[in-house]
Amino acid sequence: MPSFSMDCIVNRTRFLNAKLADGTLADLTVAAGRFSAIAPAANTATPPAGAIDLAGQLVLPAFVEGHIHLDTSFYGDAWRPHIPCTNGFDVRERVAFQMRNLEQAAPMAERAKNQLELCVGNGSLAMRSHVMVDADVGLKHVETILAVREKYRDLVDVQLVAFPQSGILSSPGTAELLDEALKLGCDLIGGLDPASFDRDVDGHLDVVFGLAERHGAGIDIHLHDGGTLGLFEIEEIAARAKALGIGGKVAISHAYALGDISPDALAKAGEMLAASGVAIMTNAPGNHPFPPVAALRKAGVTVFAGSDNIRDSWWPYGDGDMLNRANMIGYRSGFYEDWELESAHDLASHAGAKALGLEGYGIAVGAKADFVALKAEHVPEAVVAVPKERTVYRAGREVARQGRMTR
Ligand SMILES: [Zn+2]
């Protein structure tokens, strides 16, 4: 029987001449959505019918978008000029600006869809989105984003974090709403600056860790607090995660404090985070101190990457391209050597998959065939060049090309 017929019968696709991260050329076979074989490129004169020739393009596992806000972006909607805070960065004031902007924005489902397609088009097929829950919006955002996730289930894996954007104790009723959000289908419980926002670290964390325990949910806390205050909160979160033995499911997003404490304090914090298994998410933001990626990785901490805000009320930047995010993180971290550039890519791929607890991630036999083919010699070049010419495959089927969805 000709191979084409056999491939059709077993739903098998072959990808020829794929450049792997180690520089070798390989032929990849995908069956039932997973890599079933990876072999040195055969380079036969007559390739099997139906095979896709990748012509030496670099094949990378689909990127992992570790932190995004699907409910608050204006991407694809009217441009919203950035409103500066009255007196330096103020989370409460930014939340108020956001509420005002959202009242005039296009329907949330439409904006979320725009943002999802932007991310998938650039090669992210797994993501973690925080979704606002507070006494004003109730569960409206969660319900809308849950429906969008359902619609895109075949294209992208989306984890949702019930995110108390207006605090927990300072927005009465929020704890109960967060409980409901987890019942409705959110995968993780979020948090927000327990000290500076709710001014009660224990009270805030009692709710967050209590809900996580009750629902078996993961935790991902927004922590902007800097210096020793932020460090104190990081220590509290790590201690609780360790005591409960749930470190592998706990992350701190931003953790700016790690970027502005002494080297000794950082070394201690790194040890504690590694021992407790708490991961750190960074997006290497603008002119702000951010966690020292290399030092934390060296200490054994899982550091992963996310876009965070994309063209929303917090800032006008963001393009949903995790390869570009790896570039920014590498640039801001002063990464020049190949291994350093590879580590920047790791934040947006394997480390992200570890932090999100993804099953079957990578270019390996048995792994899900979610991958990106792009024109680059190797990973370091991909990180500095950020080639936009790329094709995205979900379960071995093309879903996007040159940044646009094709399926
Ligand atoms: Zn965020």
Side-chain angles (χ1 to χ4, degrees):
M1 188 180 284
S3 62
F4 177 68
S5 308
M6 181 62 91
D7 284 351
C8 285
I9 289 164
V10 297
N11 192 18
R12 192 162 56 189
T13 313
R14 293 169 199 264
F15 296 89
L16 311 179
N17 304 308
K19 171 81 67 76
L20 302 181
D22 66 4
T24 58
L25 274 184
D27 293 342
L28 317 172
T29 307
V30 174
R34 290 179 184 255
F35 292 112
S36 59
I38 297 177
N43 267 319
T44 51
T46 50
I52 295 165
D53 187 0
L54 294 175
Q57 289 182 91
L58 180 65
V59 165
L60 300 174
F63 306 124
V64 178
E65 168 60 81
H67 186 125
I68 199 166
H69 292 261
L70 286 175
D71 53 338
T72 55
S73 169
F74 303 117
Y75 179 77
D77 191 9
W79 179 261
R80 309 273 159 191
H82 182 76
I83 310 167
C85 287
T86 319
N87 197 11
F89 180 75
D90 179 339
V91 174
R92 278 180 200 281
E93 199 174 20
R94 292 244 66 84
V95 173
F97 293 154
Q98 176 166 268
M99 297 312 282
R100 206 193 304 162
N101 276 335
L102 284 174
E103 281 167 16
Q104 301 154 14
M108 187 182 300
E110 202 178 298
R111 290 182 288 105
K113 171 181 160 290
N114 291 341
Q115 206 178 179
L116 262 183
E117 295 196 357
L118 174 75
C119 297
V120 171
N122 281 311
S124 291
L125 297 182
M127 64 167 59
R128 174 177 289 178
S129 172
H130 297 249
V131 185
M132 192 198 305
V133 173
D134 73 10
D136 284 331
V137 304
L139 296 166
K140 266 190 294 183
H141 290 214
V142 165
E143 285 161 354
T144 304
I145 301 302
L146 278 167
V148 171
R149 169 168 80 173
E150 194 52 39
K151 218 169 170 184
Y152 281 78
R153 185 169 285 283
D154 289 346
L155 281 178
V156 53
D157 300 313
V158 182
Q159 295 183 352
L160 298 181
V161 186
F163 171 45
Q165 174 79 85
S166 305
I168 298 177
L169 310 176
S170 40
S171 175
T174 297
E176 292 74 16
L177 288 166
L178 292 169
D179 189 30
E180 278 301 311
L182 289 164
K183 282 185 203 154
L184 283 176
C186 283
D187 310 276
L188 298 102
I189 173 80
L192 173 67
D193 292 322
S196 67
F197 209 97
D198 274 350
R199 306 190 74 81
D200 182 349
V201 176
D202 275 340
H204 190 101
L205 295 181
D206 282 349
V207 174
V208 171
F209 280 83
L211 286 172
E213 252 196 306
R214 194 177 319 153
H215 292 273
I219 295 173
D220 193 328
I221 298 175
H222 277 71
L223 190 64
H224 310 92
D225 289 338
T228 49
L229 178 64
L231 178 61
F232 172 73
E233 293 168 274
I234 290 166
E235 288 169 353
E236 289 296 299
I237 292 165
R240 283 177 184 250
K242 194 173 182 195
L244 292 174
I246 57 167
K249 292 172 71 176
V250 178
I252 302 174
S253 285
H254 303 307
Y256 291 152
L258 296 173
D260 58 15
I261 53 177
S262 72
D264 282 354
L266 176 67
K268 269 190 209 155
E271 245 174 61
M272 192 171 185
L273 287 165
S276 63
V278 172
I280 297 293
M281 190 298 301
T282 189
N283 63 338
N287 61 350
H288 208 285
F290 70 107
V293 173
L296 290 171
R297 281 172 61 92
K298 200 172 170 195
V301 181
T302 301
V303 187
F304 66 113
S307 297
D308 197 11
N309 309 98
I310 293 183
R311 304 193 196 175
D312 65 6
S313 306
W314 295 73
W315 63 35
Y317 293 99
D319 64 357
D321 181 354
M322 289 308 292
L323 193 54
N324 195 33
R325 184 61 52 184
N327 175 298
M328 287 184 223
I329 291 169
Y331 182 85
R332 283 218 62 203
S333 299
F335 289 171
Y336 302 138
E337 294 178 57
D338 282 0
W339 69 270
E340 292 175 313
L341 296 168
E342 283 164 0
S343 72
H345 167 257
D346 190 62
L347 265 65
S349 54
H350 292 277
K354 187 179 175 198
L356 268 64
L358 301 183
E359 178 273 326
Y361 184 83
I363 308 295
V365 172
K368 289 179 181 171
D370 291 353
F371 63 97
V372 182
L374 47 80
K375 286 193 173 157
E377 271 300 305
H378 38 51
V379 170
E381 193 197 22
V383 169
V384 297
V386 195
K388 280 291 177 191
E389 205 173 306
R390 54 183 98 158
T391 312
V392 185
Y393 298 88
R394 168 78 158 175
R397 292 177 63 191
E398 181 184 313
V399 292
R401 185 177 277 264
Q402 263 68 286
R404 293 193 174 277
M405 305 279 299
T406 49
R407 193 181 130 202

